[in-house]
């Protein structure tokens, strides 16, 4: 099928915002994702507890979502060069290949991205995984390079809010993915890192 409207640029930033900002200040169930007008502004149409609504996203917000999705999927994308809306989904052209995110996947992802922001999830990296705490609900989930311990991942096999929070936390600390982080911080390397951190702490205390 011929593609619908698309976004073309060679100047996309690949920086992901580390602190997640809600796209909508309520939990949402997305009906559709599209672009509108001559400027191809991304738009989401969704339902909330207060009714059916729509919201325009900035291109940087939408790009954040696409980047985060591909990085959780451990795609070696390099830089995003363009993306366009097709009948089946969003086709993304990157330096290292093309990827298609079908609409059911991107809709579910944006819903959880928004939920992760609303719930202000806290991420702690360890030697073998990431621990994600939800202080609002009093729950804890463990994310590793295979998936997450939560129901969304185990039963629905979809990217969950804990993986999204972990990926954005990793990005803010200079890591491309959880797999990359774990490969650099296991065994002896992790022990050396802890020893170096202890030395810095002692120095700061004057010991």
């Amino acid at each position: 099928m011929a593609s619908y409207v698309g976004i073309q640029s060679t100047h996309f930033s690949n920086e992901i915002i580390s602190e997640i900002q809600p796209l909508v200040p309520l939990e949402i169930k997305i009906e559709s994702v599209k672009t509108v007008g001559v400027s191809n502004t991304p738009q989401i149409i969704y339902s909330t507890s207060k009714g059916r609504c729509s919201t325009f996203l900035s291109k940087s917000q939408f790009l954040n979502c696409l980047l985060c999705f591909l990085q959780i999927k451990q795609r070696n994308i390099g830089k995003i060069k363009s993306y366009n809306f097709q009948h089946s989904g969003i086709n993304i052209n990157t330096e290292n290949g093309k990827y298609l995110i079908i609409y059911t996947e991107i809709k579910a992802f944006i819903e959880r991205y928004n939920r992760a922001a609303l719930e202000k999830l806290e991420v702690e990296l360890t030697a073998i995984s990431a621990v994600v705490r939800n202080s609002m609900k009093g729950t804890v989930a463990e994310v590793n390079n295979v998936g997450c311990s939560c129901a969304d991942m185990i039963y629905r096999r979809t990217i969950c809010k804990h993986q999204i929070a972990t990926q954005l936390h990793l990005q803010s600390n200079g890591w491309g993915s959880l797999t990359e982080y774990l490969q650099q911080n296991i065994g002896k390397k992790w022990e050396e890192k802890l020893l170096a951190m202890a030395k810095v702490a002692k120095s700061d205390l004057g010991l």
Side-chain angles (χ1 to χ4, degrees):
M1 301 294 291
S3 64
Y4 289 123
V5 292
I7 307 295
Q8 288 273 19
S9 176
T10 57
H11 302 290
F12 278 137
S13 169
N14 274 7
E15 291 185 7
I16 288 184
I17 299 170
S18 58
E19 181 179 348
I20 315 175
Q21 300 297 324
L23 304 174
V24 179
L26 292 171
E27 189 163 328
I28 57 178
K29 178 67 176 177
I30 294 184
E31 296 180 11
S32 64
V33 182
K34 59 182 181 179
T35 59
V36 177
V38 294
S39 62
N40 296 328
T41 303
Q43 181 187 38
I44 53 175
I45 299 172
Y46 54 90
S47 57
T48 73
S49 58
K50 296 185 178 181
R52 188 169 180 266
C53 309
S54 68
T55 294
F56 292 107
L57 305 179
S58 70
K59 291 177 182 178
S60 61
Q61 283 178 315
F62 190 64
L63 182 63
N64 261 355
C65 291
L66 298 181
L67 284 168
C68 188
F69 181 97
L70 291 175
Q71 289 174 329
I72 291 172
K73 289 286 191 178
Q74 301 182 34
R75 302 292 190 260
N76 179 25
I77 63 173
K79 291 184 179 180
I80 289 180
K81 298 168 65 177
S82 66
Y83 62 85
N84 57 75
F85 284 65
Q86 299 183 336
H87 287 283
S88 56
I90 301 171
N91 191 46
I92 305 170
N93 182 30
T94 79
E95 289 182 325
N96 297 324
K98 293 183 178 181
Y99 304 93
L100 177 70
I101 306 177
I102 61 175
Y103 286 120
T104 53
E105 287 184 316
I106 195 63
K107 288 192 291 185
F109 180 84
I110 293 174
E111 290 171 4
R112 287 164 176 78
Y113 185 102
N114 195 65
R115 192 180 304 161
L118 291 173
E119 296 178 4
K120 301 186 183 300
L121 302 180
E122 301 171 358
V123 179
E124 178 184 355
L125 298 175
T126 73
I128 58 173
S129 63
V131 177
V132 184
R133 295 181 176 84
N134 187 329
S135 57
M136 290 176 62
K137 296 187 175 180
T139 59
V140 177
E142 183 180 25
V143 178
N144 56 34
N145 57 2
V146 176
C148 181
S149 62
C150 74
D152 267 348
M153 185 67 199
I154 294 174
Y155 300 111
R156 301 180 185 91
R157 307 305 300 173
T158 186
I159 292 176
C160 66
K161 60 188 178 183
H162 308 104
Q163 291 173 289
I164 294 169
T166 296
Q167 178 56 44
L168 294 176
H169 180 80
L170 287 162
Q171 183 72 18
S172 70
N173 287 279
W175 300 100
S177 67
L178 185 59
T179 296
E180 178 188 335
Y181 167 81
L182 294 175
Q183 287 174 344
Q184 295 294 323
N185 290 280
I186 58 175
K188 184 178 179 181
K189 289 183 178 180
W190 179 256
E191 293 173 0
E192 290 174 349
K193 184 177 181 179
L194 290 178
L195 287 173
M197 291 169 64
K199 288 180 180 179
V200 172
K202 287 182 178 180
S203 176
D204 290 342
L205 293 172
L207 299 176

